Amino acid sequence: MTTPVILYVDDDRDDCCLLKESFAQTGTRFICISSGEEAIKILESLDQEDLPSLIILDINMPRWDGRQTLMYLKSVPELAPIPVVILSTSDNKMDKEVCKRLGAIAYLQKPIHFDGYKKIVDQCLPLIRVSNQRTY
């Protein structure tokens, strides 16, 4: 069995470090990319068997924001089956609805404290291989 790969797309280095630390003991490989454009370029260069098991995506990023990235991911047949979790500071109901409509499997709010990141991990781990179930 291969090690599940989690791709986190977020331009905030602090959030990346906190989430990476939180996933450290889970038996997953955690990769952080700082932009949607960079994530797409990398994903398109990978063979099918090397694609991540889960993508965690921030909404508010420069150039390609999370919505654009999510829309693109779900439009490419090879990438569409990868479950995508939105992790954002936004608690805006419209953001949640748009992301759900675009194909996100879950929408989680970024925590304020480190302990909250452990809860994010607990919510994300069961979603790694699940692509048809939605959690909102």
Side-chain angles (χ1 to χ4, degrees):
M1 185 169 148
T2 60
T3 301
V5 175
I6 297 170
L7 177 65
Y8 181 37
V9 185
D10 193 335
D11 62 321
D12 187 317
R13 289 198 179 278
D14 291 338
D15 286 335
C16 180
C17 290
L18 290 168
L19 197 56
K20 185 174 186 169
E21 178 69 26
S22 298
F23 270 99
Q25 303 299 316
T26 63
T28 60
R29 190 168 146 234
F30 189 89
I31 300 168
C32 194
I33 303 289
S34 62
S35 77
E37 287 174 310
E38 183 183 0
I40 295 301
K41 285 179 188 174
I42 290 170
L43 290 167
E44 288 183 334
S45 73
L46 297 173
D47 291 329
Q48 189 72 27
E49 63 272 2
D50 296 326
L51 291 172
S53 304
L54 178 70
I55 296 173
I56 302 173
L57 184 60
D58 183 29
I59 290 182
N60 299 311
M61 295 182 289
R63 299 196 329 222
W64 271 43
D65 70 9
R67 289 172 213 80
Q68 290 170 292
T69 305
L70 177 60
M71 187 182 312
Y72 185 83
L73 287 169
K74 295 305 178 182
S75 73
V76 177
E78 297 80 19
L79 303 177
I82 303 169
V84 177
V85 171
I86 301 299
L87 183 60
S88 178
T89 55
S90 172
D91 192 28
N92 182 306
K93 186 176 181 179
M94 182 63 91
D95 285 337
K96 291 178 183 181
E97 289 174 8
V98 167
C99 291
K100 180 179 182 179
R101 195 170 47 249
L102 291 174
I105 195 169
Y107 188 106
L108 307 173
Q109 203 167 358
K110 285 185 181 179
I112 298 169
H113 303 288
F114 181 71
D115 287 345
Y117 282 90
K118 296 283 188 183
K119 291 178 184 171
I120 296 295
V121 170
D122 292 341
Q123 291 173 290
C124 287
L125 286 176
L127 301 176
I128 285 179
R129 299 269 179 207
V130 179
S131 58
N132 296 325
Q133 172 186 340
R134 293 183 188 269
T135 339
Y136 279 87

